[in-house]
Amino acid sequence: MSTSLIRKEVDEALLAFVDRQRPALLTISDDLAPLLSALGALLGGGKRLRPAFCYWGWRAAGGEDGQAIVRAAASLELLQASALIHDDVMDSSDTRRGQPSVHRRFEALHGAQAWPGDAEAYGAGAAILLGDLCLAWSSEMFETCGLDGDRRRRGRDVYDLMRTEVMCGQYLDMLEGTRGEASVATALRVVEYKSAKYTIERPLHLGAALAGAGPDVIAALSGYGLPLGIAFQLRDDVLGVFGDPGETGKPAGDDLREGKRTVLIALTAERASAAQAAALRRRLGDPGLDRPGVDEVRAIIEETGGLAACEAMIERYLGEAERALRSAPITAEARHALSGLAVAATTRSM
Amino acid sequence: MSTSLIRKEVDEALLAFVDRQRPALLTISDDLAPLLSALGALLGGGKRLRPAFCYWGWRAAGGEDGQAIVRAAASLELLQASALIHDDVMDSSDTRRGQPSVHRRFEALHGAQAWPGDAEAYGAGAAILLGDLCLAWSSEMFETCGLDGDRRRRGRDVYDLMRTEVMCGQYLDMLEGTRGEASVATALRVVEYKSAKYTIERPLHLGAALAGAGPDVIAALSGYGLPLGIAFQLRDDVLGVFGDPGETGKPAGDDLREGKRTVLIALTAERASAAQAAALRRRLGDPGLDRPGVDEVRAIIEETGGLAACEAMIERYLGEAERALRSAPITAEARHALSGLAVAATTRSM
């Protein structure tokens, strides 16, 4: 299957899964309908990167095309939906994928209905619960994908590890954000667990494990997936500061307002003069940071050479991933598809 | 096994599971240790009702004693830990099981370390992530319990349904809380999904399904479990207003400060004079409600006959559960144990 065809099949599998849940929810109460529409809106966006890597991990390990692997792969989008919904609550983000974030959507529902009580708390509570539902449904969708029990058992070990890793990575990300002084090495550790493993390496491993891959294929997929995953996150960090809001789906400078301690920021801080460092400290994490403030931070990131250093790191990790891919013991078709995904993951925002 | 022995074995299974996760977390970073200690403290409390019902559902359906069913049953405590941690964030509760709630614990860590940034947001974020981890771990513990794939497949259907039901029930609970005017019927619908099914009926079904129970046993367990579950929650509501904080683990009047629209409150509102109704509206959901305010609401609940009506409902549901139990097609041993659990569930706080 081509990457765009996989995307279409993943979309259909997700729609079918949510449609199967719909009657159960509406039998409990019509009042649950807003949960379904909020999830539908969120799932309408996203580039389905994780399912694509899972699918090609499966094919790389000799798995045959079919609906069951598409459903297993699509379940990763529900896990990701859970992570995004909860992340947006934690960061108080207003938008996601170019639309209001889930908690803001329920806050608006509260306002529109003129209910008494605290609209913001209502929005956050609804988002916590919908994120929980998505997390529960991701494992339900995986377990009911149609692959046999032995395959699922092998895949489940990867799935379990991946969930623990991403939740721990998120915690460390928040910790470094609040401490406010991550070194490049510390920021890279967060990237490894929160992004590189979660977005690329583990989805590849999941597909490969489901197909019964041996340790050589698993190792080769790590050789490609981990550096690619780091390059992916560094590209995302650059886009978070310099990207076009129309493409990123987030207002310009949101990462700066949230005070994210990215590798890009750490590379900049390493190179900053005392005056630049002071300006950086003042601007980062300021929720009221305006456009001139964003421009000032952008200038510092460029003038210190932080941006150039980050671009060079992206190139280095990408080169490492490409070299690993060339010598990986996988089919030519999988190699070709993974090469295309490497480009897709590091040239656009997710 | 006796109920106290099951409790001990469930505790041991939980400890063993968390101990197996520990090295994975600490390999990622020592900074993750506070997540493990917060979970350890939370799991130190709790009466293990859900595992007990799951275990006796299994035995009622002819399952033999063993470690695998104890592990499957114990996984429900991780699901419950997730629900409690997130619930406390949503309600801004300060305490749980007589200790600081998880988000307050991380807020205190932030303060003790004198980190910059927002301590309250840090606490909430850490609690959201630890709740997610517990939810992921509950399914991991269930799937690795040691029961064979066919049994787990049957149990998983119940598990999936139960998770969807409890999350939807929590949403409806929050919705009724914010709307602020639940009727007895509406409040009972919340009780059914949030508590009666989740705490008693589905754990029984889970154990029975794992043991391969037929529809007659499943139906008999519903006949006992649903009314008992309603009685359990009504008792919990009464204790939430009139209970001894030393037993409930929550400050007196916390349910009133949170503005919970319980069946007890709905029964009171139905019977209130205009003046009593106005006082009730003014007091319920007031976060600063002091001891005289709590006493005033208590007096209204008693004087209207709301309390007596609630106690009568508890008796009626308990009687229904006991009658269903007497005619259930299960072993005498299971009948005896379930009869004891009915008393334990409705005479003490959870």
Side-chain angles (χ1 to χ4, degrees), chain A residues 190-203:
Chain A
V190 172
V191 167
E192 180 180 349
Y193 286 100
K194 192 193 159 182
S195 297
K197 286 176 175 290
Y198 168 61
T199 304
I200 303 188
E201 188 196 27
R202 296 306 183 198

Side-chain angles (χ1 to χ4, degrees), chain B residues 240-281:
Chain B
V241 177
F242 296 95
D244 171 6
E247 268 202 51
T248 62
K250 289 221 157 200
D254 240 28
D255 280 8
L256 302 176
R257 268 175 224 107
E258 286 171 21
K260 282 194 189 168
R261 309 308 303 199
T262 61
V263 173
L264 175 66
I265 296 297
L267 288 166
T268 301
E270 268 185 354
R271 290 160 173 75
S273 67
Q276 288 171 322
L280 213 52
R281 264 196 302 278

Side-chain angles (χ1 to χ4, degrees), chain A residues 134-175:
Chain A
C134 289
L135 182 52
W137 284 358
S138 66
S139 69
E140 179 173 342
M141 188 172 187
F142 173 75
E143 295 294 347
T144 57
C145 68
L147 293 174
D148 67 45
D150 273 351
R151 286 187 188 277
R152 275 184 290 118
R153 187 186 47 68
R154 286 190 298 260
R156 198 184 293 128
D157 290 344
V158 178
Y159 219 112
D160 288 340
L161 188 60
M162 177 176 58
R163 293 189 302 190
T164 297
E165 283 171 349
V166 66
M167 290 162 187
C168 290
Q170 297 258 75
Y171 178 81
L172 294 175
D173 193 23
M174 189 181 68
L175 179 66

